[in-house]
Amino acid sequence: MAVPIALTLLFLFLEWRLYKTLDTVAVPQARRVVVEAIQQAVLENLRGEVKYSNLIQPGTTDGKVVFMAADALEISRIQARAQLAIQERLAQMETQTYHMPLGQVLGVRWLAAYGPRLPLRFIPLGVVKVHVGDNFESSGINQTRHRIYLEVEGEVQIMASLSQEKVKVTSTLPLTEAIIVGPVPQTYVNF
């Protein structure tokens, strides 16, 4: 009678420790691995191809910029290529297994690097969402910086031997930027 109770208590203790360890160790590890996969996928598939002049054409009147025309088709193409590349890279993660020492799971500091290694797998869930965003910010008296970037959202599930956890990951990747120079004012007062 004592042996089944002891085994059940040991199992519950290990599950509790593993869940706690997932929050402190595996979740940051999953975020790091996924952000790295996202950045590598975008870098490999869009390196050197994105130019500001291909995405945005300024409209001018009398030499002054009066509007910015975006090439929606080119922006959609970049968004789709990035999304497909990221999903392909994340799908490759399913075949990889990461290991965490049992000492780390148990929370014993001097045994943190020892013991049998428990397998962890990061499984992508659902569809990765890729949004192209932009922003304008002041960059001096008569200059405006226009940045175009990708915002990537995804979700992975950490699969461990006794527990599982879902982790939402977001990453912002700059694509291109330009400085738009306006007319120099005759007078400038900064309060």
Side-chain angles (χ1 to χ4, degrees):
M1 180 70 174
V3 173
I5 292 174
L7 287 176
T8 302
L9 289 175
L10 178 64
F11 177 78
L12 291 173
F13 172 74
L14 286 176
E15 184 177 18
W16 174 74
R17 285 302 307 172
L18 182 60
Y19 186 76
K20 210 171 166 187
T21 303
L22 282 176
D23 280 345
T24 58
V25 177
V27 169
Q29 174 76 358
R31 282 198 174 100
R32 184 190 65 77
V33 167
V34 172
V35 167
E36 185 177 296
I38 289 169
Q39 291 176 348
Q40 285 178 349
V42 170
L43 183 63
E44 289 172 6
N45 288 280
L46 298 176
R47 181 186 315 158
E49 289 186 28
V50 180
K51 294 184 178 150
Y52 188 83
S53 60
N54 294 346
L55 301 178
I56 305 293
Q57 294 298 318
T60 60
T61 301
D62 298 330
K64 297 178 184 177
V65 176
V66 291
F67 69 91
M68 307 291 282
D71 185 345
L73 187 60
E74 182 65 15
I75 291 171
S76 294
R77 187 183 72 76
I78 289 170
Q79 183 178 359
R81 281 187 61 196
Q83 187 162 358
L84 292 172
I86 291 167
Q87 290 207 183
E88 184 178 308
R89 179 62 68 117
L90 291 178
Q92 293 171 0
M93 286 177 47
E94 287 188 38
T95 60
Q96 296 176 344
T97 302
Y98 304 88
H99 294 89
M100 188 184 328
L102 182 63
Q104 195 170 21
V105 173
L106 295 175
V108 181
R109 290 183 185 164
W110 55 278
L111 290 177
Y114 301 103
R117 297 184 143 335
L118 298 176
L120 288 176
R121 289 180 60 209
F122 305 137
I123 300 173
L125 299 174
V127 176
V128 174
K129 297 176 186 171
V130 178
H131 304 284
V132 177
D134 73 328
N135 68 344
F136 291 90
E137 63 183 49
S138 176
S139 183
I141 297 172
N142 65 334
Q143 299 174 354
T144 302
R145 180 187 318 260
H146 183 210
R147 281 195 180 128
I148 301 173
Y149 54 88
L150 289 177
E151 278 187 348
V152 182
E153 291 180 24
E155 193 172 48
V156 292
Q157 185 163 5
I158 304 170
M159 299 295 291
S161 53
L162 299 173
S163 186
Q164 58 187 8
E165 175 94 14
K166 289 182 183 177
V167 178
K168 189 172 184 177
V169 178
T170 59
S171 183
T172 302
L173 304 158
L175 287 177
T176 186
E177 68 177 45
I179 302 290
I180 303 164
V181 180
V184 178
Q186 296 297 323
T187 309
Y188 177 73
V189 179
N190 185 11
F191 290 104

